[in-house]
Amino acid sequence: MSMKELPTIAQLWFDLDTGAAKAADVIALIRENVALYEKDINAYINLYLDEAEELARSQDSTRYPAGKTPDLAGIPIAIKDNICVKGKPCTCASNILKGFVAPYDATVIERLNARGAILVGKTNLDEFAMGASTETSAFGPVRNPLDPERVPGGSSGGSAAAVRYGGAVAALGSDTGGSVRQPAAFSGLVGFRPSYGRVSRWGLVAFASSLDQIGPITRTVEDAALIYSVIAGPDPRDSTTYPQEPEEMDLTGELKRGVKVGIIKEFFAELADERISEAVQTPFKEAGIDLIEVSMPEVRYSISGYYLLAFSEVSSNLARYDGIRYGLRVSKLGLRETYSASRAQGFGEEIKRRILMGTFGLSAGYIDAYYNTALRYRAALAKAYEKAFSQVDFLLSPTAPTVAYKLGEKIHDPLEMYLGDIYTASNALAALPCISIPAPRKVDGLPVGIQLTASRYQDAKLLEFAHAVERI
Amino acid sequence: MPSKESRYEVIIGIEVHVQLNTLSKMFCRCEVDVDARPNTKVCPICLGLPGALPQTNDTAVKLGIKAALALGCKVNLESRWARKHYFSPDLPKGYQITQYDYPLATGGSLDLPGMKRSVRIRRLHLEEDAGKLIHSSRETLVDFNRCGVPLAEIVSEPDIASALQADAYLKELRLILRTLGVSDAEMERGHFRCEPNISVRPRGQEEMGVRSEIKNLNSFKAVREGVERAVEDQIAWLEQGKEIVQTTYLWDEKARELRPMRVKETAADYRYFPEPDLPPLILEQSEIDEIKESLPELPAAKRKRLFKEGLSKQDIQVLSQEPEWEDYFLNLLEKGATVKEASTWLLNEARGIMAERREGLEEFKVPVEEMVNLIMLLRSGELTRPAAKGLLEAMAEKGRGAKELMTRMDLGAVSDSGFLEKVARKIIDANPEPVQRYRNGKTGVIGFLVGQCMKELRGKADPNAVREALSTLIAKED
Ligand SMILES: [Zn+2]
């Protein structure tokens, strides 16, 4: 037996609209793929195939006038398990949320539901989305369907793996410093991180609030654009959302003449693997696009700046998991003791490391040296990006400095793991839209991600361009 | 030798947490009803559930601006939200959303009525309340109905020098907030939580003394007593040469004592940082100006006006402490009563009747309109003053209109001069001896004769008219 190839959203929508396919049949294919791969890959924390099938059948029996089928009707989608779905557990792959069932839908879920999408299951992730390999999950690591010895990337590794092995047509992940883009890159998929504020965070369990964005992991840019256009837009429940609706997109796939693509000198200077650099740049050169070198020394500190801010916010956002109201409680005699025991047992090692460092970074006497310095750095970095975008339309870089590595290779060296975010942290800090698409050429037989970044809120332009690049 | 007290200088600053009068909470749409069945006024936001985000309540911001403007503060066009971290079972997010280095308003002042002292206001900022812990012998339960209720924290400069001034400051502040409708400010219900910090130093000493902070002050009496106690304690310790340690006390209402709650060895580290879930609070100057335009007459201005219009200081004091009375009073003026009439019939007569009946103003059965009717009947002479008193009593008892009762009880003034003369004749005849004394020049006796007539007339005549009738008759017989 082998993997049953699933259609893309665009294909499936067309086939469902014309009656050439049935949603229930796609769920049946997914069932087969799950039976075949899930045990080894561990992409899902919870699967809802029966409910999915039921919904698919009711979708199939609904007759829409031709062309009027809702955007995502009958499309099976996997959701990262840090996004709340009403009535379903939301584990964040952590023991501390044991038994917690979300009493409400995230805005993205409401919007997907309103367009007819079908929830296949909730996908595995690094605990609270903190990691780059999906090895820190309390539900065990996820393996890369392309090579089960290797990690799928992270933290949205479950979402990427599910799409990769045909466990869903598309998935939602969340990206704080690369968590959608890097697993997409490691899995040969498209991962899109919208501009900060484009997609409501209501119902997304916070890791670092000022950085978290929900984004799609799909097989094509077109699919990413489709999902984006459904989930994006202002939401009164998230005061940080951008007040304008997403722009219309023109996905013709044509490369616009005179488009200016830049590369950040400092990024490529530091790149160890020449082959990745080549895999990323060659398609552009072959398409006759000159790459304009821009210097942005600020990016050298992006890992430090990113982790300082992210950890500080982690220490605050994860204070609520105290064993009092929901989730795991380890009862001890005193209140303090109950707090300590619940948190000690509920959180994994990486979470504890980040809470400790973040708490330190916000402490009196240190906040100026750490948190506040990082805030100033962030402002300077955003300015530097702005300057770069006065010279070029898009910035090009690899998504990750390596291809998918082996399980266990980096998990015991947190610094090494953090350095994997070198290309995905700075544009996240600057709140920019960025996308990873598979490079045509592989390295060591494994996919390489091409990352494109645009200026803030130019999400539509970025998707249009990425769609064109995808076709080179 | 100067007294112990006068050798020391008392320095008091006060923080007040005011519950804002909104229908819904600060960052969610839950109804504010802290007395509802526990944990029925909650949602994912105020319970701090994973994935929930705060949404600012614009009404709460507006009320905060109102209070700030009334206190003469500068309302900042940009203020920011911050997270204040500490672990407590009644704090579901592990932090409180408040304002820290960019508060809503800064730099105001408040004049203490009748004291010639002004207390500077350092800042006013908005924040959310915590839940409530309910302790029993076996366990502690948490009620989150109060969690997320909007508060304004108003912080004074240390410009208060005695328990009496502290009392005046808080009463005036409370009155302003109630006048504005910003808060019900009921102390015993926790709408108006005062936390004074007190330090004492020898007069002339530059360096500040060590602070005592007091919490759990649920009445003005508690504030006065608690502050007095803290001052006494500190002076005694200074006299004994004891080192004073910065301490937070709880006021024990029953024992009337300060109980140390915690001794601050190191300042608590709340790890304030900007709330990433909420953008800065940006206001337009025009918005602020509009609110400023809509402010009602503030207590100090009102007092000045009423004093000018002839109200006594004592009456002003009464009104300033009791907003419902003030409301009634001002309504009387608006409907045509003079300050004098309103003062006499509301603050004097009606108040006396209510005291006798053990009623409050809310149970008083005479609406403003009927009180005005009574005053008008009196003014036109259709009613005498003593009769009016009786009529008011009847109105308070029966809840009927002034005119209706006056007719029904036959309390209308006798103005028929023939009838008055007849009664005067009768009294003169019945009292030959006092009449004789009057003739002999003891004119004071007329009072007795007038009294007799009034008794005969059951108070229903103008005593001046009776006096007139009596003296005319006696003179005629001379
Ligand atoms: Zn609520």
Side-chain angles (χ1 to χ4, degrees), chain B residues 24 158-159 178 273 295 304 311 333 356 419:
Chain B
S24 59
D159 290 350
R178 290 176 64 135
F273 87 109
L295 288 185
K304 214 181 242 172
L311 194 64
L333 298 191
E356 221 159 81
F419 185 65

Side-chain angles (χ1 to χ4, degrees), chain B residues 25 27-31 41-47 147:
Chain B
K25 293 185 179 181
F27 298 113
C28 62
R29 299 293 90 94
C30 286
E31 187 192 343
K41 303 295 175 188
V42 294
C43 73
I45 300 173
C46 54
L47 286 177
C147 195

Side-chain angles (χ1 to χ4, degrees), chain A residues 1-6 29 32-37 165-166:
Chain A
M1 269 200 5
S2 66
M3 184 191 139
K4 299 287 193 300
E5 189 80 25
L6 299 184
L29 290 182
E32 284 181 42
N33 287 334
V34 164
L36 204 55
Y37 295 102
Y165 82 62

Side-chain angles (χ1 to χ4, degrees), chain A residues 104 201 203 316-317 320 325 364, chain B residues 50-52 83 85 92 95 269 277:
Chain A
Y104 69 101
R201 293 180 294 117
S316 174
N317 282 329
R320 69 188 64 194
R325 285 150 290 120
Chain B
R83 292 182 180 178
H85 300 87
Y95 57 82
D269 186 353
D277 287 332

